[in-house]
Structures are given as C-alpha cells and as structure tokens.
Amino acid sequence: MGELTQTGVVQHLQNGQLLRDIYLKKHKLLPSDWSTDHLYLETTGKSRTLQSGLALLYGFLPDFDWKKIHFRHQPSALFCSGNCYCPMRNQYLEKEQRRQYLLRLKNSQLERTYEDMARIVDVPTKQLRAANPIDSMLCRFCHNVSFPCTRNGCIDMEHFKVIKTHQIEDERERREKKLYLGYALLGAHPILNQTVNR
C-alpha cells in the first residue's frame, strides 16, 4: 500500500511541472539526449520517498525512459550517505527528545488525553505518540474524513484541542531552546555538501 496521499502525489506532480518549466523550458539545463549522468535520484527504503520521487520525476519529465533512470538507495532519512556519523548532531537530538519528554510529563491533561485515545483505539498508552493521532486527525481536516471510532468510543475535537495546545507550547519551547535547530543544521550539512559537489 502506498504511504503517499493523493494530495501529496498532486503536489509532487505540480512541483515537477514547475521545475520542468524553469530547468528545461526556460534554462534548458537538461539536454534532449540526456543520460544517467545528467539526472541523479536518491530514495530511502520508505515507499513514500520512492513514490514522491516518481511523482516529481513524472511531472518533471513525463516521457522519461525507464532504462535511463537509476535510483540510488539512501539508507538514512537524513540523506547523509557515508557521512552520517555526527556525535554532536546526536547529542542535540537526544537533548531535544528529552525536552519533549519532560514537557509531556508536566502536562497531566495531555497524559489523560493520550490514555483515553489509547483506550479508544486499543493500543498501549506508551505506544501512542503525537504523530499517530495527529495523522488521523489531519484526515478529518484535510480530507473531511470522520475521526476514528471503535467500540470503545470516538476520538473527537476535545482530544484534538488538548494535543494542539500542547504542540503550540512545544513549538514555542523548541524555538527558545534551539536544540532541534542545531540537530537540523547538522543533519542538513551532508546533503548540502553533496549538492554543491554535484
């Protein structure tokens, strides 16, 4: 099953068309007799990155020759190739995760909300992370799909409000502490270097 939504596919197709207009039509940066040396593609083992790449590629080159396309497998979601070892980046991430954990512990209403949601969807509370219910809730807001319901009850707007309030607080603290910024800057460094080298 695909992990990329239809909306995501459409966005990648449109981005590919924009890139085609700029890179191919306007600046003619890819020759008509292009080879694998002209077009470099990387993807992780996650199907959504492959699906994103294919959708973008199709928008960019709708008549591409599959035999001329080579995808390089990237084992890391940071796209850091052989330069993934970075102890300082890992320290930033560990401190950021600890900050998030401590903030969550301080919020008893959030904890009760997670317990209630976990009971509804029948998973252990410790397994329930913000991304799980938020993904489900975004389906409601982005695609007008109803909140998840089971025989144990329904996830509802009150659950969402508690999580949203916590996430706003989390984002405010994240900006103040700048731990994730340090992690993100060090995480982006390898792919930026690869881009410059290419």
Side-chain angles (χ1 to χ4, degrees):
M1 293 296 291
E3 295 177 352
L4 198 60
T5 65
Q6 290 177 357
T7 304
V9 170
V10 170
Q11 288 170 344
H12 285 300
L13 288 168
Q14 290 172 339
N15 286 337
Q17 290 170 348
L18 289 170
L19 291 174
R20 181 177 67 226
D21 290 344
I22 295 165
Y23 287 103
L24 302 183
K25 293 180 180 176
K26 183 176 181 183
H27 296 292
K28 306 199 183 330
L29 295 177
L30 190 65
S32 57
D33 61 342
W34 61 274
S35 69
T36 54
D37 294 334
H38 294 104
L39 189 61
Y40 182 78
L41 298 163
E42 277 189 329
T43 183
T44 69
K46 301 278 188 190
S47 64
R48 70 178 168 268
T49 59
L50 176 60
Q51 293 162 2
S52 295
L54 289 173
L56 183 74
L57 179 62
Y58 187 78
F60 183 65
L61 283 173
D63 299 321
F64 64 85
D65 180 354
W66 280 101
K67 293 184 285 287
K68 292 166 70 173
I69 305 290
H70 293 275
F71 283 86
R72 181 176 181 275
H73 174 70
Q74 176 56 251
S76 170
L78 290 173
F79 287 83
C80 51
S81 295
N83 301 312
C84 294
Y85 180 71
C86 181
M88 193 66 198
R89 183 190 69 226
N90 295 341
Q91 285 179 23
Y92 275 118
L93 181 59
E94 287 168 13
K95 288 177 182 176
E96 169 62 15
Q97 289 171 336
R98 177 114 179 110
R99 181 201 64 74
Q100 288 177 12
Y101 174 73
L102 292 174
L103 184 65
R104 180 176 170 174
L105 278 184
K106 288 192 304 190
N107 190 334
S108 58
Q109 185 183 19
L110 179 71
E111 200 55 41
R112 283 192 305 274
T113 299
Y114 276 126
E115 287 170 2
D116 189 41
M117 293 172 74
R119 180 190 56 76
I120 290 169
V121 295
D122 198 26
V123 298
T125 306
K126 290 186 177 177
Q127 270 187 348
L128 197 64
R129 294 287 170 257
N132 307 129
I134 289 297
D135 281 352
S136 297
M137 291 173 167
L138 286 176
C139 289
R140 166 81 175 117
F141 299 114
C142 298
H143 306 290
N144 206 25
V145 175
S146 62
F147 285 132
C149 284
T150 69
R151 57 181 161 70
N152 299 328
C154 292
I155 293 175
D156 59 31
M157 190 58 78
E158 292 308 310
H159 294 113
F160 178 77
K161 286 177 182 174
V162 171
I163 293 172
K164 180 182 172 195
T165 301
H166 175 75
Q167 286 191 318
I168 289 169
E169 173 67 15
D170 181 48
E171 186 59 36
R172 185 193 57 73
E173 190 176 277
R174 177 180 289 138
R175 281 194 305 268
E176 286 174 8
K177 305 268 184 187
K178 297 186 182 342
L179 296 169
Y180 193 81
L181 177 63
Y183 167 77
L185 289 172
L186 291 173
H189 197 262
I191 194 168
L192 293 174
N193 276 344
Q194 288 175 51
T195 303
V196 168
N197 289 338
R198 286 189 191 286

